[in-house]
Amino acid sequence: DTEVTQTPKHLVMGMTNKKSLKCEQHMGHRAMYWYKQKAKKPPELMFVYSYEKLSINESVPSRFSPECPNSSLLNLHLHALQPEDSALYLCASSQDRTGLTDTQYFGPGTRLTVL
Amino acid sequence: GNSVTQMEGPVTLSEEAFLTINCTYTATGYPSLFWYVQYPGEGLQLLLKATKADDKGSNKGFEATYRKETTSFHLEKGSVQVSDSAVYFCALSDLGNTDKLIFGTGTRLQVFP
């Protein structure tokens, strides 16, 4: 089973709201990722967690706050977003960050609209 | 730095036609290469991968061969179906930073009956 699940599937929020995106995998993977994808563009890496520790932050604004409560769960907390943050947010996982042939498996994404 | 170049789309084909989507890469070392597919309104699904030169990845009738001499990983399918309509992304693993996938810009495939 190579399933990564994400909730919610769709989210509409105002610029003053606080919301969270959730991602879960039960493959025993120890690396998890958040990507942002705008329409007709490839995914852009935002954050990487390895063994539940943040290992990469691609200069993402502080209004996005990731959290990895355990090895199976990854959250993305959202606060004071801007309309330009509207996008598809994808979660992915891979076995670990040290393997040279690690394959990333993606979830179905959360489509976020910021009004 | 490492990069991936894909052919511009959209690629428009009739059902049962032969498909080629070109992908070339620039990388130091020996990256792994991937094709991901994204159906409308969905996330990315791994289609196939190859981890070393001359490896052929295959899945669902699609195949691609890791060609080091031409730095290419072209995607092919002998007979496309309407259900293959999607966006296809070529990607490589950045060995200098194994957390990162370097994606191409994506190629939209439209298959008509």
Side-chain angles (χ1 to χ4, degrees):
Chain A
D1 183 13
T2 55
E3 186 177 29
V4 176
T5 59
Q6 290 187 242
T7 55
K9 191 171 175 63
H10 300 278
L11 179 62
V12 179
M13 60 187 291
M15 289 190 285
T16 58
N17 292 157
K18 287 185 181 180
K19 297 287 185 184
S20 297
L21 310 184
K22 296 185 184 303
C23 173
E24 191 166 6
Q25 56 87 14
H26 293 288
M27 296 178 278
H29 289 176
R30 304 310 300 270
M32 297 185 77
Y33 312 77
W34 279 116
Y35 288 84
K36 174 183 178 179
Q37 186 181 24
K38 299 286 276 186
K40 301 187 179 182
K41 297 288 187 183
E44 299 173 19
L45 184 65
M46 299 174 72
F47 301 104
V48 181
Y49 272 82
S50 176
Y51 292 85
E52 297 141 62
K53 289 185 170 27
L54 183 65
S55 61
I56 290 181
N57 176 340
E58 289 287 295
S59 303
V60 178
S62 60
R63 56 186 184 268
F64 296 91
S65 175
E67 178 197 20
C68 189
N70 61 55
S71 60
S72 301
L73 292 174
L74 185 66
N75 298 322
L76 185 63
H77 302 298
L78 314 173
H79 174 54
L81 293 194
Q82 303 297 310
E84 59 265 29
D85 297 321
S86 299
L88 181 68
Y89 288 83
L90 294 163
C91 175
S93 70
S94 65
Q95 189 167 1
D96 64 54
R97 71 187 291 265
T98 59
L100 295 180
T101 59
D102 277 340
T103 300
Q104 292 186 25
Y105 296 92
F106 286 80
T110 294
R111 188 159 300 280
L112 174 67
T113 303
V114 181
L115 301 176
Chain B
N2 297 341
S3 65
V4 174
T5 302
Q6 281 183 245
M7 62 189 289
E8 289 282 331
V11 173
T12 304
L13 295 173
S14 297
E15 208 164 24
E16 299 183 6
F18 184 85
L19 168 70
T20 300
I21 299 178
N22 289 340
C23 172
T24 57
Y25 67 90
T26 302
T28 54
Y30 303 95
S32 293
L33 300 174
F34 306 87
W35 277 102
Y36 285 89
V37 58
Q38 187 170 32
Y39 297 100
E42 298 186 10
L44 272 67
Q45 297 178 24
L46 177 67
L47 183 58
L48 53 85
K49 69 176 184 180
T51 58
K52 60 183 187 296
D54 299 325
D55 264 3
K56 178 185 284 188
S58 61
N59 185 26
K60 300 181 182 180
F62 290 90
E63 54 183 39
T65 302
Y66 189 162
R67 301 281 189 203
K68 193 168 190 306
E69 64 275 14
T70 54
T71 62
S72 65
F73 192 55
H74 304 321
L75 183 68
E76 297 182 335
K77 187 176 185 183
S79 176
V80 293
Q81 305 300 310
V82 173
S83 56
D84 294 325
S85 299
V87 179
Y88 292 81
F89 290 98
C90 184
L92 65 81
S93 58
D94 186 345
L95 294 185
N97 184 346
T98 57
D99 300 296
K100 291 193 174 188
L101 279 176
I102 308 295
F103 285 96
T105 52
T107 301
R108 180 173 299 277
L109 170 65
Q110 297 175 318
V111 181
F112 292 96

